[in-house]
Amino acid sequence: MTPMISIALIAAVAENGAIGRNQQLLCHLPNDLKHFKTLTSGHTVVMGRRTFESLPNGALPNRKNIVLTHNHDLAWPGVAVVHNIDEAMAQADKSPVFIIGGATLYNETIGLADTLYITHIHHTFADADTFFPAIDKTVWIKDEVQEMPADERHAYSYTFVTYRRKR
Ligand SMILES: NC(=O)c1ccc[n+]([C@@H]2O[C@H](COP(=O)([O-])OP(=O)(O)OC[C@H]3O[C@@H](n4cnc5c(N)ncnc54)[C@H](OP(=O)(O)O)[C@@H]3O)[C@@H](O)[C@H]2O)c1
């Protein structure tokens, strides 16, 4: 890994930690996608193979896309395929590197991260099947908080929260 590169996790997390169902996101929040794009553009994004396969148009533009898989036969256009976390971090060239999911990746990297960009969606999805790890309040402190209301384009209210690791 490039010396001093930092790791940030970014996720949209509903009540009870839910992040997905049937290999898809739980809901469509256009302002959250914009927030995601603003934060991650120009940076490296690292994701698991299942999250990559859920993207509608393949690799995310204006970002270095790194996809983790154990399968050495897989390759996709515009993507650096790697086979373990160390290899992924070694390819990151600008701080922070963003871990963009899914649950497997979040669980494997939350212990390495120093920032969490969490969109808390204020809704319970009873049929969720994929979850973000617990955000331990003894480890993480809320830094920035921005409340966002529901409106005609957003079915639920949500809050952008930046958590920093306590030092
Ligand atoms: N709400 C959000 O912000 C958000 C963001 C992203 C994703 N999601 C949701 O999360 C769900 C997908 O999460 P998931 O946990 O099922 O899958 P995932 O984390 O996207 O991908 C898991 C796959 O990544 C590969 N992988 C993970 N760790 C690896 C390692 N250390 N070395 C090599 N390969 C590794 C493996 O691929 P192989 O099986 O090919 O070996 C593994 O099966 C979907 O519902 C998606 O929509 C939500």
Side-chain angles (χ1 to χ4, degrees):
M1 180 164 50
T2 307
M4 302 305 289
I5 209 152
S6 63
I7 298 175
L9 274 51
I10 183 164
V13 182
E15 304 298 341
N16 305 319
I19 63 165
R21 123 191 97 205
N22 297 333
Q23 297 304 307
Q24 294 297 321
L25 298 177
L26 293 166
C27 60
H28 178 62
L29 297 174
N31 281 341
D32 183 48
L33 295 184
K34 204 185 289 179
H35 179 71
F36 175 87
K37 190 175 170 188
T38 301
L39 285 167
T40 60
S41 287
H43 289 263
T44 298
V45 291
V46 177
M47 70 200 97
R49 188 261 309 163
R50 290 188 205 140
T51 291
F52 177 73
E53 289 183 339
S54 78
L55 297 178
N57 301 311
L60 298 173
N62 307 317
R63 281 147 281 194
K64 180 170 184 175
N65 286 238
I66 297 180
V67 175
L68 273 151
T69 175
H70 297 96
N71 185 336
H72 287 252
D73 296 328
L74 290 176
W76 299 275
V79 165
V81 176
V82 299
H83 305 101
N84 58 63
I85 300 282
D86 286 347
E87 215 185 318
M89 297 312 158
Q91 297 217 17
D93 47 16
K94 184 178 171 193
S95 209
V97 53
F98 285 92
I99 308 294
I100 66 164
T104 311
L105 259 288
Y106 294 139
N107 274 297
E108 289 177 323
T109 58
I110 192 168
L112 306 172
D114 58 13
T115 308
L116 309 177
Y117 294 101
I118 305 296
T119 302
H120 289 286
I121 305 168
H122 304 303
H123 185 74
T124 301
F125 294 86
D127 51 355
D129 58 20
T130 316
F131 298 87
F132 197 82
I135 300 173
D136 182 346
K137 298 298 180 331
T138 67
V139 174
W140 298 100
I141 188 160
K142 276 185 190 180
D143 185 8
E144 292 147 46
V145 177
Q146 189 182 359
E147 310 277 357
M148 305 292 288
D151 60 24
E152 62 282 355
R153 292 165 67 236
H154 300 82
Y156 317 108
S157 63
Y158 50 103
T159 307
F160 296 132
V161 180
T162 304
Y163 294 90
R164 311 270 180 207
R165 183 180 288 281
K166 285 185 185 170
R167 299 194 180 279

